[in-house]
Amino acid sequence: SLPHSSSAIRGMGTPVSAASAQPGDVMWWPGHVAIYAGGGMMVSAESESVGVQYMPVRSGAVYLRIAA
């Protein structure tokens, strides 16, 4: 199980390069996380008004591998 806060999630994962990212890896920015979907795409809950979006990855993310 993952914690709720993005900073706590950041502390749980092992950083991987964008080139090594696999679908299901967590993408982290200060205050936000998304899930890498593969092929340069991500799934992100943008806001309550916009909802969950399947979209191209945004720059600046730290890619994290979370072990089960």
Side-chain angles (χ1 to χ4, degrees):
S1 74
L2 291 175
H4 178 75
S5 75
S6 64
S7 59
I9 290 172
R10 169 66 179 96
M12 291 190 69
T14 301
V16 296
S17 69
S20 298
Q22 298 175 0
D25 285 343
V26 173
M27 301 174 68
W28 178 89
W29 299 264
H32 188 72
V33 294
I35 300 170
Y36 183 62
M41 301 295 285
M42 68 180 192
V43 176
S44 178
E46 292 297 294
S47 68
E48 285 187 39
S49 61
V50 174
V52 176
Q53 301 287 308
Y54 177 72
M55 58 196 294
V57 298
R58 262 192 248 126
S59 65
V62 174
Y63 291 79
L64 302 168
R65 181 96 14 97
I66 309 283

